[in-house]
Amino acid sequence: MTDGGREQREHLVELLQAYADEAGRLGHAFAAGQGLHRTDAAALLAVLRAERDGDPLTPGRLGEEVGLSSGATTAAVDRLERLGHLHRRRDGADRRRVTLHHDPAGADVGRAFFGPLAARLDAVLGGYTPAELAVVHRFLTEVVASVAEHRAEVSQGGSS
């Protein structure tokens, strides 16, 4: 690989870091605008994503997803439930199992805040051909998997 290739890769990593920073700041702005602690906002977004993917979270899985202890997860869910953002639902097949679901008001808040961003991103994506989008999709899929794998390793005490 040429040095130019190395520089290009380094620049892509810098752009990914800049994206992560901006996304983090946006998350802080969302949380502040809703009067939420950023952990509560992260929990709410995790619940919304899981429901969108058709696999609602249990409180235990939510804690794993956002890196909270059992007690901290319960406190976050209690706060979000009190604010009308989500609710607990007992599983019909196993009444001991509880899943978390967003309330319409919580989804409306998310849509109002993130809807304009979705429109901006759609406009950006509209400037790419299907073939280019396929490459971007492959790239981002692999980046997300690599970051998740590294996070799992370091969370378990590894240091790759």
Side-chain angles (χ1 to χ4, degrees):
M1 183 92 18
T2 66
D3 283 345
R6 178 188 317 262
E7 288 175 16
Q8 190 173 30
R9 290 192 312 273
E10 288 173 357
H11 187 63
L12 283 172
V13 169
E14 290 168 0
L15 287 171
L16 287 170
Q17 291 166 339
Y19 168 77
D21 291 344
E22 285 299 327
R25 285 193 281 277
L26 185 63
H28 291 290
F30 173 73
Q34 298 307 308
L36 300 174
H37 185 277
R38 61 182 216 208
T39 302
D40 292 354
L44 177 59
L45 293 174
V47 168
L48 288 165
R49 272 193 310 272
E51 274 196 292
R52 179 196 65 210
D53 295 343
D55 189 20
L57 294 174
T58 62
R61 281 187 44 225
L62 174 62
E64 291 170 9
E65 183 78 19
V66 295
L68 295 176
S69 68
S70 177
T73 300
T74 299
V77 169
D78 287 346
R79 284 189 300 271
L80 290 168
E81 196 169 36
R82 250 190 331 273
L83 292 168
H85 291 300
L86 61 78
H87 61 275
R88 296 168 172 98
R89 186 183 303 156
R90 294 226 173 262
D91 188 302
D94 181 354
R95 301 285 298 157
R96 296 169 298 178
R97 183 173 186 264
V98 173
T99 54
L100 303 172
H101 302 270
H102 75 277
D103 282 342
D108 290 345
V109 163
R111 270 191 296 278
F113 187 87
F114 292 104
L117 174 61
R120 283 187 168 118
L121 293 176
D122 189 53
V124 169
L125 294 171
Y128 292 85
T129 67
E132 290 171 323
L133 289 174
V135 172
V136 172
H137 183 271
R138 188 182 97 215
F139 171 73
L140 289 175
T141 298
E142 291 175 9
V143 166
V144 169
S146 294
V147 171
E149 183 179 306
H150 182 70
R151 179 185 45 81
E153 288 174 4
V154 298
S155 295
Q156 296 169 358
S159 59
S160 325

